[in-house]
Amino acid sequence: QAAKPNVVVLATGGTIAGAGASAANSATYAAAKVPVDKLLAGLPELANVAKVSGEQVFQIASESFTNEHLLRLGQRVSALAKQADVDGIVITHGTDTLEETAYFLNLTVRTNKPIVVVGSMRPGTALSADGALNLYDAVTVAASKDAAGKGVLVTMNDEIQSGRDVSKTINIKTEAFKSQWGPLGMVVEGKNYWFRAPVKRHTTNSEFNIDDIKALPAVDIVYGYGNMNTTGIDAYGKAGVKALIHAGTGNGSVAAQAVDSLKALRASGVQIIRSARVPDGFVLRNAEQPDDKYDWVVAHDLRPQKARILAMVALTKTNDSKELQRIFWEY
Ligand SMILES: NC(=O)C[C@H](N)C(=O)O
């Protein structure tokens, strides 16, 4: 029998490492409690698909992820991916910001080896906990040659999703991770079934490289709503933000009373990136606002939190708005 592939599980915390007081506690529990060794020991079936080793990188709930966590995790993933004795990497992660980390790695880690980010909606102590199967699926995908070159992937709820496209769309329920463009495939009983492949640039085809990124610039998000005021926009400007994501209403529309503040910020050198608070669809250039005239960028189909990740990564290389727009189309 051929040797099993080597998969490293990098644990960062989240509900997949959570524990509640009773089996009835599906939503009330503490995240980031169970160490990686215990997670892996509780899943002996992993030995059927790979030779698995674990490493505790952080033990936090993912809402508390910072740019420093992103950089440290990315550097560790990159170093492991260069090792000849590592075939695939799994990252266990809280679900709240899982999509941001997955996209960050997708943009910056230069490897063809499968990288799979996984979490759970219920702690392992709960009835119908989903973490064990999600993790088994993640290791299955990370151990598979057919998962190579598809960018960073996410396995939740039997589906294989693109880390670029996927978002958490509901709390409480286990079918939380969706993409408007659909999953790439499914993973069932230790086997992958593929239906499509990503077309946006990622990993080995990316112009960004985590090994060259030492710090990420300040990029923040303001939310559009009825009766919007400019307090947030002006405060972020004063705080020295390098780009501001506007999570606009509808097709990324901007309230008339906010336009002047955003124009003033742009005039001071801050990049303005028009995204939308609407979950799906995409923002068109020069629709709703004259982006060419104001020298603003549109976020394409990226949700505000994903637009923030791409803006930070892009700004490590360029502060040219035309280049930024090209990057938003291509990634
Ligand atoms: N389901 C989860 O993992 C939620 C948790 N708050 C986290 O993101 O760490």
Side-chain angles (χ1 to χ4, degrees):
Q1 211 188 338
K4 297 262 187 258
N6 293 312
V7 172
V8 181
V9 176
L10 297 179
T12 73
T15 297
I16 195 165
S22 95
N25 287 128
S26 60
T28 312
Y29 57 86
K33 286 284 162 208
V34 183
V36 65
D37 294 347
K38 213 172 147 199
L39 271 188
L40 298 180
L43 203 47
E45 294 79 7
L46 291 177
N48 301 333
V49 281
K51 200 163 155 283
V52 179
S53 60
E55 198 176 304
Q56 193 77 48
V57 189
F58 321 118
Q59 186 65 297
I60 58 172
S62 75
E63 59 269 28
S64 304
F65 248 73
T66 63
N67 289 349
E68 285 65 43
H69 289 110
L70 284 179
L71 290 173
R72 269 178 57 199
L73 179 65
Q75 283 151 6
R76 187 67 192 126
V77 174
S78 173
L80 283 170
K82 287 184 189 127
Q83 283 182 213
D85 61 349
V86 174
D87 298 300
I89 300 160
V90 168
I91 296 126
T92 60
H93 200 291
T95 55
D96 289 350
T97 63
L98 187 153
E99 68 204 68
E100 297 172 42
T101 299
Y103 189 39
F104 178 74
L105 299 174
N106 190 65
L107 292 169
T108 59
V109 179
R110 295 265 187 97
T111 183
N112 252 327
K113 293 181 184 176
I115 301 171
V116 186
V117 192
V118 65
S120 78
M121 295 300 291
R122 296 177 181 146
T125 46
L127 295 167
S128 289
D130 54 331
L133 181 57
N134 288 347
L135 180 55
Y136 182 74
D137 289 345
V139 172
T140 298
V141 174
S144 310
K145 286 209 162 56
D146 59 30
K150 292 188 167 68
V152 173
L153 303 167
V154 172
T155 54
M156 299 281 295
N157 203 36
D158 305 337
E159 291 178 340
I160 309 169
Q161 297 275 1
S162 157
R164 176 200 184 269
D165 298 338
V166 79
S167 274
K168 184 174 185 175
T169 61
I170 191 167
N171 44 30
I172 310 290
K173 288 182 169 186
T174 52
E175 74 263 40
F177 280 74
K178 301 244 162 66
S179 151
Q180 65 172 327
W181 312 120
L184 304 180
M186 293 198 62
V187 49
V188 183
E189 294 188 356
K191 188 169 161 35
N192 308 327
Y193 299 85
W194 299 98
F195 297 99
R196 59 185 98 248
V199 297
K200 298 294 187 183
R201 292 174 69 178
H202 60 75
T203 56
T204 51
N205 185 28
S206 174
E207 69 203 82
F208 309 107
N209 187 342
I210 185 70
D211 298 347
D212 302 330
I213 301 177
K214 302 294 166 240
L216 292 166
V219 177
D220 287 288
I221 302 172
V222 289
Y223 201 84
Y225 48 90
N227 200 45
M228 189 180 180
N229 61 57
T230 61
T231 311
I233 298 173
D234 299 338
Y236 278 127
K238 283 204 188 78
V241 74
K242 299 290 181 261
L244 192 62
I245 313 294
H246 181 268
T249 39
N251 186 14
S253 53
V254 182
Q257 64 271 24
V259 169
D260 280 347
S261 286
L262 291 175
K263 280 167 69 181
L265 225 52
R266 180 69 199 107
S268 75
V270 177
Q271 299 286 349
I272 304 300
I273 299 168
R274 247 182 356 106
S275 176
R277 68 179 202 181
V278 172
D280 290 337
F282 55 94
V283 178
L284 293 163
R285 225 184 134 74
N286 297 314
E288 295 288 354
Q289 288 294 329
D291 299 297
D292 288 349
K293 188 169 153 206
Y294 296 165
D295 197 21
W296 292 352
V297 172
V298 296
H300 198 15
D301 64 331
L302 295 177
R303 290 181 173 190
Q305 63 272 26
K306 298 227 185 205
R308 176 183 166 271
I309 296 288
L310 181 55
M312 288 194 301
V313 170
L315 284 170
T316 63
K317 280 220 158 177
T318 181
N319 194 27
D320 180 286
S321 60
K322 301 226 164 27
E323 266 293 277
L324 270 183
Q325 186 63 74
R326 173 192 63 80
I327 288 165
F328 269 86
W329 294 141
E330 291 181 5
Y331 291 83

Coordinates of all heavy atoms in Angstrom, one line a residue, residues 93-149:
H93 N -10.4 27.1 12.0 CA -10.6 28.5 12.1 C -12.0 28.8 12.6 O -13.0 28.1 12.2 CB -10.4 29.1 10.8 CG -10.1 30.6 10.7 ND1 -11.0 31.6 11.0 CD2 -9.0 31.3 10.3 CE1 -10.5 32.8 10.9 NE2 -9.2 32.6 10.4
G94 N -12.2 29.8 13.4 CA -13.6 30.3 13.7 C -14.3 30.7 12.4 O -13.7 31.1 11.4
T95 N -15.6 30.6 12.4 CA -16.3 30.8 11.1 C -16.6 32.3 10.9 O -16.9 32.7 9.7 CB -17.7 30.1 11.1 OG1 -18.4 30.4 12.2 CG2 -17.4 28.6 11.0
D96 N -16.5 33.1 11.9 CA -16.9 34.5 11.7 C -16.1 35.3 10.7 O -16.6 36.1 10.0 CB -16.9 35.2 13.1 CG -18.1 34.8 14.0 OD1 -19.0 34.0 13.5 OD2 -18.1 35.1 15.2
T97 N -14.8 35.0 10.7 CA -13.9 35.7 9.8 C -13.2 34.7 8.9 O -12.2 35.1 8.2 CB -12.9 36.7 10.5 OG1 -12.1 35.9 11.3 CG2 -13.6 37.7 11.3
L98 N -13.6 33.5 8.9 CA -13.0 32.4 8.1 C -12.8 32.8 6.6 O -11.7 32.6 6.0 CB -13.8 31.2 8.2 CG -13.2 29.9 7.6 CD1 -13.8 28.7 8.4 CD2 -13.6 29.7 6.2
E99 N -13.8 33.5 6.1 CA -13.8 33.9 4.6 C -12.7 34.9 4.4 O -12.2 35.0 3.3 CB -15.1 34.4 4.2 CG -15.5 35.7 4.9 CD -17.0 36.0 4.9 OE1 -17.7 35.2 5.7 OE2 -17.5 36.8 4.2
E100 N -12.4 35.7 5.4 CA -11.3 36.8 5.2 C -10.0 36.1 5.2 O -9.1 36.4 4.3 CB -11.4 37.8 6.3 CG -12.8 38.6 6.3 CD -13.0 39.5 7.5 OE1 -12.0 40.2 7.9 OE2 -14.1 39.5 8.0
T101 N -9.7 35.2 6.1 CA -8.4 34.5 6.2 C -8.2 33.7 4.9 O -7.1 33.6 4.3 CB -8.3 33.7 7.4 OG1 -8.5 34.5 8.6 CG2 -7.0 32.9 7.5
A102 N -9.3 33.0 4.5 CA -9.2 32.1 3.3 C -8.8 32.9 2.1 O -7.9 32.5 1.3 CB -10.5 31.3 3.1
Y103 N -9.4 34.1 2.0 CA -9.1 34.9 0.8 C -7.7 35.5 0.9 O -7.0 35.6 -0.1 CB -10.2 36.1 0.7 CG -10.1 36.9 -0.5 CD1 -9.8 36.3 -1.8 CD2 -10.4 38.3 -0.5 CE1 -9.8 37.1 -2.9 CE2 -10.3 39.0 -1.6 CZ -10.0 38.4 -2.9 OH -10.0 39.2 -4.0
F104 N -7.3 35.9 2.1 CA -5.9 36.4 2.3 C -4.9 35.4 1.9 O -4.0 35.7 1.2 CB -5.7 36.8 3.8 CG -4.4 37.3 4.1 CD1 -3.9 38.6 3.6 CD2 -3.4 36.5 4.7 CE1 -2.7 39.0 3.9 CE2 -2.2 37.0 5.0 CZ -1.8 38.2 4.6
L105 N -5.1 34.1 2.3 CA -4.1 33.1 1.9 C -4.2 32.8 0.4 O -3.2 32.6 -0.2 CB -4.4 31.8 2.7 CG -4.3 31.9 4.3 CD1 -4.8 30.6 4.9 CD2 -2.9 32.2 4.7
N106 N -5.4 32.8 -0.1 CA -5.6 32.6 -1.6 C -4.8 33.6 -2.4 O -4.3 33.3 -3.5 CB -7.1 32.7 -1.8 CG -7.5 32.3 -3.2 OD1 -7.4 31.1 -3.6 ND2 -8.0 33.2 -4.0
L107 N -4.7 34.9 -1.9 CA -4.0 35.9 -2.6 C -2.5 35.9 -2.4 O -1.8 36.4 -3.2 CB -4.5 37.3 -2.1 CG -6.0 37.7 -2.3 CD1 -6.3 38.9 -1.5 CD2 -6.1 38.0 -3.8
T108 N -2.0 35.3 -1.3 CA -0.6 35.6 -0.9 C 0.3 34.4 -0.8 O 1.5 34.5 -0.7 CB -0.6 36.4 0.4 OG1 -1.2 35.6 1.4 CG2 -1.2 37.7 0.3
V109 N -0.3 33.2 -0.7 CA 0.6 32.0 -0.5 C 0.9 31.4 -1.8 O 0.0 30.9 -2.5 CB 0.0 31.0 0.5 CG1 0.9 29.8 0.7 CG2 -0.2 31.6 1.9
R110 N 2.1 31.3 -2.2 CA 2.5 30.9 -3.6 C 2.8 29.4 -3.6 O 3.9 28.9 -3.5 CB 3.8 31.6 -4.0 CG 3.6 33.1 -4.2 CD 3.3 33.4 -5.6 NE 3.3 34.8 -5.9 CZ 4.4 35.5 -6.4 NH1 5.5 34.9 -6.7 NH2 4.3 36.8 -6.6
T111 N 1.7 28.6 -3.6 CA 1.9 27.2 -3.7 C 0.7 26.5 -4.5 O -0.4 27.1 -4.5 CB 1.9 26.5 -2.3 OG1 2.1 25.1 -2.4 CG2 0.6 26.7 -1.5
N112 N 1.0 25.4 -5.1 CA 0.0 24.6 -5.7 C -0.6 23.6 -4.8 O -1.6 23.0 -5.1 CB 0.6 23.8 -6.9 CG 0.2 24.4 -8.2 OD1 -0.9 24.9 -8.3 ND2 1.1 24.4 -9.2
K113 N 0.0 23.4 -3.6 CA -0.4 22.3 -2.7 C -1.8 22.7 -2.1 O -2.0 23.9 -1.9 CB 0.6 22.1 -1.6 CG 1.9 21.5 -2.1 CD 2.9 21.3 -1.0 CE 4.2 20.8 -1.5 NZ 5.2 20.7 -0.5
P114 N -2.7 21.8 -1.9 CA -4.0 22.1 -1.3 C -3.9 22.8 0.0 O -3.2 22.3 0.9 CB -4.7 20.8 -1.2 CG -4.0 19.9 -2.2 CD -2.5 20.3 -2.2
I115 N -4.6 23.9 0.2 CA -4.7 24.6 1.5 C -6.2 24.6 1.7 O -7.0 25.2 0.9 CB -4.1 26.0 1.5 CG1 -2.6 25.9 1.1 CG2 -4.4 26.7 2.8 CD1 -2.0 27.3 0.9
V116 N -6.7 24.1 2.9 CA -8.1 24.0 3.2 C -8.4 24.7 4.5 O -7.8 24.3 5.5 CB -8.6 22.6 3.2 CG1 -10.1 22.6 3.3 CG2 -8.2 21.8 1.9
V117 N -9.3 25.7 4.5 CA -9.7 26.3 5.8 C -11.0 25.7 6.2 O -11.9 25.6 5.4 CB -9.7 27.8 5.6 CG1 -9.9 28.5 7.0 CG2 -8.5 28.4 4.9
V118 N -11.2 25.4 7.5 CA -12.4 24.7 7.9 C -12.8 25.2 9.3 O -11.9 25.6 10.1 CB -12.2 23.2 7.9 CG1 -11.1 22.8 8.9 CG2 -13.5 22.5 8.1
G119 N -14.1 25.2 9.6 CA -14.6 25.6 10.9 C -15.8 24.7 11.2 O -16.1 23.8 10.5
S120 N -16.5 25.2 12.2 CA -17.8 24.5 12.5 C -18.8 25.5 13.0 O -18.4 26.5 13.6 CB -17.6 23.3 13.4 OG -17.5 23.8 14.7
M121 N -20.1 25.2 13.0 CA -21.1 26.1 13.5 C -21.5 25.7 14.9 O -22.1 26.5 15.6 CB -22.3 26.1 12.5 CG -22.0 26.6 11.1 SD -21.5 28.3 11.2 CE -23.0 29.1 11.7
R122 N -21.2 24.4 15.3 CA -21.6 24.0 16.6 C -20.3 23.4 17.3 O -19.4 22.9 16.6 CB -22.6 22.8 16.5 CG -23.9 23.3 16.0 CD -24.9 22.1 15.8 NE -26.1 22.6 15.2 CZ -26.9 21.9 14.4 NH1 -26.5 20.6 14.1 NH2 -28.0 22.3 14.0
P123 N -20.2 23.6 18.6 CA -19.0 23.1 19.3 C -19.0 21.5 19.3 O -20.1 20.9 19.1 CB -19.1 23.6 20.7 CG -20.6 23.9 20.9 CD -21.1 24.2 19.5
G124 N -17.9 20.9 19.4 CA -17.8 19.4 19.4 C -18.7 18.8 20.5 O -19.0 17.6 20.4
T125 N -19.0 19.5 21.6 CA -19.8 19.0 22.7 C -21.3 18.9 22.4 O -22.0 18.4 23.2 CB -19.6 19.8 23.9 OG1 -19.7 21.2 23.5 CG2 -18.2 19.6 24.5
A126 N -21.7 19.6 21.3 CA -23.2 19.7 21.0 C -23.7 18.5 20.3 O -23.0 17.8 19.6 CB -23.4 21.0 20.2
L127 N -25.0 18.3 20.4 CA -25.8 17.4 19.6 C -25.6 17.7 18.1 O -25.6 18.9 17.8 CB -27.3 17.4 19.9 CG -27.7 17.0 21.3 CD1 -29.1 17.4 21.6 CD2 -27.5 15.5 21.5
S128 N -25.4 16.7 17.3 CA -25.2 17.0 15.8 C -24.1 18.0 15.6 O -24.2 18.9 14.7 CB -26.5 17.5 15.2 OG -27.4 16.4 15.1
A129 N -23.0 17.9 16.3 CA -21.9 18.8 16.0 C -21.4 18.5 14.6 O -21.3 17.4 14.1 CB -20.8 18.5 17.0
D130 N -21.0 19.6 13.9 CA -20.6 19.5 12.5 C -19.1 19.5 12.3 O -18.6 19.3 11.2 CB -21.3 20.6 11.7 CG -21.0 22.0 12.2 OD1 -20.8 22.2 13.5 OD2 -21.0 22.9 11.4
G131 N -18.3 19.8 13.4 CA -16.9 20.0 13.2 C -16.1 18.7 12.8 O -15.2 18.8 11.9
A132 N -16.5 17.6 13.3 CA -15.7 16.4 13.0 C -15.8 16.0 11.5 O -14.8 15.8 10.9 CB -16.3 15.2 13.9
L133 N -17.0 16.1 11.0 CA -17.1 15.8 9.5 C -16.5 16.9 8.7 O -15.8 16.6 7.7 CB -18.6 15.6 9.1 CG -18.8 15.2 7.7 CD1 -18.0 14.0 7.2 CD2 -20.3 15.1 7.4
N134 N -16.6 18.1 9.1 CA -16.0 19.2 8.3 C -14.5 19.0 8.3 O -13.8 19.2 7.3 CB -16.4 20.6 8.9 CG -17.8 21.0 8.6 OD1 -18.5 20.4 7.8 ND2 -18.3 22.0 9.3
L135 N -13.9 18.6 9.5 CA -12.5 18.4 9.5 C -12.0 17.2 8.7 O -11.0 17.3 8.1 CB -12.0 18.3 11.0 CG -10.6 18.1 11.3 CD1 -9.7 19.2 10.7 CD2 -10.3 18.1 12.8
Y136 N -12.8 16.2 8.8 CA -12.5 14.9 8.1 C -12.5 15.3 6.6 O -11.6 14.9 5.8 CB -13.5 13.9 8.4 CG -13.3 12.6 7.7 CD1 -12.3 11.7 8.0 CD2 -14.1 12.2 6.6 CE1 -12.1 10.5 7.4 CE2 -13.9 11.0 5.9 CZ -12.9 10.1 6.3 OH -12.7 8.9 5.7
D137 N -13.5 16.1 6.1 CA -13.5 16.5 4.7 C -12.4 17.4 4.4 O -11.8 17.3 3.3 CB -14.8 17.3 4.5 CG -16.1 16.4 4.5 OD1 -15.9 15.1 4.5 OD2 -17.2 16.9 4.6
A138 N -12.0 18.3 5.3 CA -10.8 19.2 5.0 C -9.6 18.4 4.8 O -8.8 18.6 3.9 CB -10.7 20.2 6.1
V139 N -9.3 17.4 5.7 CA -8.1 16.6 5.5 C -8.2 15.7 4.2 O -7.2 15.6 3.5 CB -7.9 15.7 6.8 CG1 -6.8 14.7 6.6 CG2 -7.6 16.5 8.0
T140 N -9.4 15.2 3.9 CA -9.6 14.5 2.6 C -9.1 15.4 1.5 O -8.4 14.9 0.6 CB -11.0 14.1 2.5 OG1 -11.4 13.2 3.5 CG2 -11.3 13.4 1.1
V141 N -9.6 16.6 1.4 CA -9.3 17.5 0.3 C -7.8 17.9 0.3 O -7.2 17.8 -0.7 CB -10.3 18.7 0.3 CG1 -9.8 19.7 -0.7 CG2 -11.7 18.3 0.1
A142 N -7.3 18.2 1.5 CA -5.9 18.6 1.6 C -5.0 17.5 1.2 O -3.8 17.7 0.7 CB -5.6 19.1 3.0
A143 N -5.4 16.2 1.3 CA -4.6 15.1 1.0 C -4.7 14.7 -0.5 O -4.0 13.7 -0.9 CB -5.0 13.9 1.9
S144 N -5.6 15.4 -1.2 CA -5.9 14.9 -2.6 C -5.1 15.6 -3.7 O -5.0 16.9 -3.6 CB -7.4 15.2 -2.9 OG -8.2 14.7 -1.9
K145 N -4.5 14.9 -4.6 CA -3.8 15.5 -5.7 C -4.8 16.3 -6.6 O -4.4 17.4 -7.1 CB -3.2 14.4 -6.6 CG -1.9 13.8 -5.9 CD -1.0 13.3 -7.0 CE 0.4 13.1 -6.4 NZ 0.5 12.1 -5.3
D146 N -6.0 15.9 -6.7 CA -7.0 16.6 -7.5 C -7.4 18.0 -7.0 O -8.1 18.8 -7.6 CB -8.2 15.8 -7.9 CG -9.0 15.3 -6.7 OD1 -9.0 16.0 -5.7 OD2 -9.6 14.2 -6.8
A147 N -7.0 18.3 -5.7 CA -7.3 19.6 -5.1 C -6.2 20.6 -5.4 O -6.4 21.8 -5.1 CB -7.6 19.4 -3.6
A148 N -5.1 20.2 -6.0 CA -4.0 21.1 -6.2 C -4.3 22.1 -7.3 O -5.1 21.9 -8.2 CB -2.8 20.3 -6.7
G149 N -3.8 23.3 -7.1 CA -3.9 24.4 -8.1 C -5.3 25.0 -8.1 O -5.6 25.8 -9.1

